């Protein structure tokens, strides 16, 4: 396929590299910042532009990989007569955001992508949607070239996946940070809990989370729970989070 | 050292195996349930008892590995004249719980131990406390035979470590479970987020958590946050947790 990449950030970089690796042609990179378009285009031996009127008119795929908030403006500026399939890769954006085109769809990776860190795309299940069955199947075939785990899902399902990714990534990470701060205040290194963090994540790779739930709430050890709450009596935020998550564990026993 | 193990559960099993592996003699296993004492004693080629009056009087170390709630009763039933060092391995129990003995201390592993799953003890930093400098140093030497990462810490520090372990293990795991349920309700497999769970845990192995924080709250993407909250409008518990953790991320930007 001849592919135009719209965007030059983390997702744009990873997807462009993956498409190229699978034998597709990255014919152009668009970014509203020319230097960014140039940088990615140079790495991929492709062309660059910061001018939407200069966009290649006859590519097979226009892959939108800009921030969620920038999608509506970019879409409104694209020629509605584009024949190629227009795709975004946002988890929280409805497929309808692209409904001014004839052919459109979504390829969403539930993974946190950083330009400077390679990820194994074969491990990322790509979530695919198309405005027609034909387009959905076309995008699913393309996605499966990148990851055999890819699957079709609709926009509400993709929202559930995106929200789940936020829960297990962003919310887990802020819990890690709160533990980091608690340890630091007690002159202790974060290294003390790095092994249990990894162990916890590894355990759910082949178990349903609640079947491996441990700790005072799971055991109904009210005495330890009270000791913990007393220990953080000067941290009302952490106390509230402690109580809510403890309730959730207790509720499922 | 000649070691008596008091307890026959997960921690008792792992520590007994580790001590034996390092050349120490497990001279006796005590459990109030004889069958459990027998089972562990058989595996270790040791003696078993369910009668505290039959406890070996002259061991070098009495290692208490029973549930936190059972520690006070067990301690009150032990002969206060014990010369060997009496140690518990609880994260949330003050060292003072053992102050009826002459020599006592703590060796606490901030890790979730399961009998049936081997863990790499070399990776677990053991947290050591003693009632005297001599006993602290003796226990630290012993702990370092099991893990070179071992360190001295006092009882409030151990409480901070135990609470941090609860945060990054138990609370993270219940977040995984809530994501599991959200996906299941939308006919989606948990496999969709297993890779990002592992990636999130791996990232903080060599970064401070907040430096790798991502997501709508970190970006200040209020639009996506509102979409998520609307999506779970029928789940007030999850909404409340979402809002609190989002606030914590926003607060640290």
């Amino acid at each position: 396929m001849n592919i135009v990449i719209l965007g030059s950030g983390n997702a744009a970089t990873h997807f462009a590299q993956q498409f190229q690796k699978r034998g597709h042609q990255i014919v152009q990179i668009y970014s509203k910042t020319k230097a960014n378009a140039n940088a990615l285009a140079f790495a991929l031996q492709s062309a660059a532009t910061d001018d939407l009127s200069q966009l290649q008119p006859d590519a097979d795929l226009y892959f939108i990989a800009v921030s969620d908030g920038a999608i509506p403006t970019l879409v409104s500026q694209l020629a509605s007569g584009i024949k190629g399939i227009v795709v975004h890769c946002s988890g929280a954006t409805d497929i309808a955001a692209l409904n001014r085109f004839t052919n459109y769809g979504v390829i969403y990776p539930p993974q946190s992508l950083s330009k400077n860190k390679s990820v194994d795309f074969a491990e990322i299940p790509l979530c695919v949607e198309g405005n027609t069955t034909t387009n959905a199947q076309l995008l699913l075939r393309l996605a499966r070239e990148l990851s055999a785990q890819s699957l079709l899902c609709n926009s509400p399902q993709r929202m559930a996946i995106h929200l789940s990714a936020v829960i297990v990534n962003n919310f887990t990470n802020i819990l890690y940070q709160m533990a980091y701060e608690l340890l630091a205040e007690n002159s202790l290194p974060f290294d003390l809990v790095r092994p249990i963090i990894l162990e916890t994540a590894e355990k759910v790779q082949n178990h349903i989370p609640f079947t491996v739930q441990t700790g005072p709430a799971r055991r109904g050890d009210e005495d330890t729970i009270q000791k913990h709450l007393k220990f953080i009596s000067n941290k009302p935020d952490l106390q509230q989070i402690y109580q809510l998550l403890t309730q959730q564990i207790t509720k499922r026993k």
Side-chain angles (χ1 to χ4, degrees), chain A residues 2 7 29 40 63 71 82 105 109 132 134 138 142 196 212 215 251:
Chain A
N2 287 330
I29 309 287
L40 182 54
F63 192 83
I71 293 175
I82 285 177
T132 63
T134 307
L138 178 149
L142 177 66
I196 194 170
V212 292
K251 202 183 261 189

Side-chain angles (χ1 to χ4, degrees), chain A residues 9-55:
Chain A
N10 296 322
T13 303
H14 277 286
F15 272 101
Q17 287 169 342
Q18 290 292 320
F19 288 137
Q20 196 174 63
K21 210 167 135 190
R22 304 298 164 190
H24 299 287
Q25 313 303 317
I26 308 301
V27 293
Q28 195 178 33
I29 309 287
Y30 161 82
S31 168
K32 63 180 183 187
T33 309
K34 188 69 191 291
N36 294 345
N38 282 339
L40 182 54
F42 180 79
L44 297 166
Q45 298 281 296
S46 174
T49 185
D50 62 351
D51 180 356
L52 287 173
S53 73
Q54 300 299 309
L55 221 55

